[in-house]
Amino acid sequence: MRWRRYVVNEGWVSPRDFLLGLAMIQAFPGPNFNFAVYLGSLAALSGAKPSFAGALLAYLAIFSPGLILVHGTMGLWVKLRTYRWVKSGLRGINAAAVGLVYTAVYRLWQIGYVHEDFAAGASLGRDPWWVVVTATSYTGCCWFGVPIPVAILLGGGMGLVWYGVVSG
């Protein structure tokens, strides 16, 4: 897994901090670019540098290339988007991106169970309670129109119930 090879094995971030940050960032809407800022902050701390400096550097590193690319190619894009083959290609890229998102969610399911026995993460399917939490959130959103923030809070509440039962 890349995160272990490039982030954790280098000693910048612990497996626990990485997985907790990844889980927290999934609760925020939109792209997960903020995760880079979180990792930059932790990496700076592990190098005895100010957290803010690492966060700022990560912010600039993740956003600058896209901003430069967008503003530098806007004139070319106005012409290219009129071609049918470009639109078809973009639909294919969009489908591939959706597949990558589903793959990322599946991988998070496979390593998202962080416990003292599984510091590097284990499958959430190991404990039936997390299957119940996932099914409840999905069913509530899909079939009963529960707003996503409410489903997130419900999942957090169910996690606290699990913690209370297991540790108490």
Side-chain angles (χ1 to χ4, degrees), residues 76-95:
L76 179 63
W77 175 244
V78 170
K79 179 67 176 158
L80 280 178
R81 71 180 182 182
T82 61
Y83 296 115
R84 186 174 181 202
W85 63 271
V86 171
K87 289 181 183 178
S88 297
L90 288 175
R91 285 189 188 107
I93 290 170
N94 188 30

Side-chain angles (χ1 to χ4, degrees), residues 46-72:
S46 72
K49 304 282 190 262
S51 174
F52 179 76
L56 181 64
L57 183 62
Y59 176 84
L60 292 173
I62 199 77
F63 285 110
S64 294
L67 290 172
I68 292 167
L69 186 63
V70 164
H71 293 292

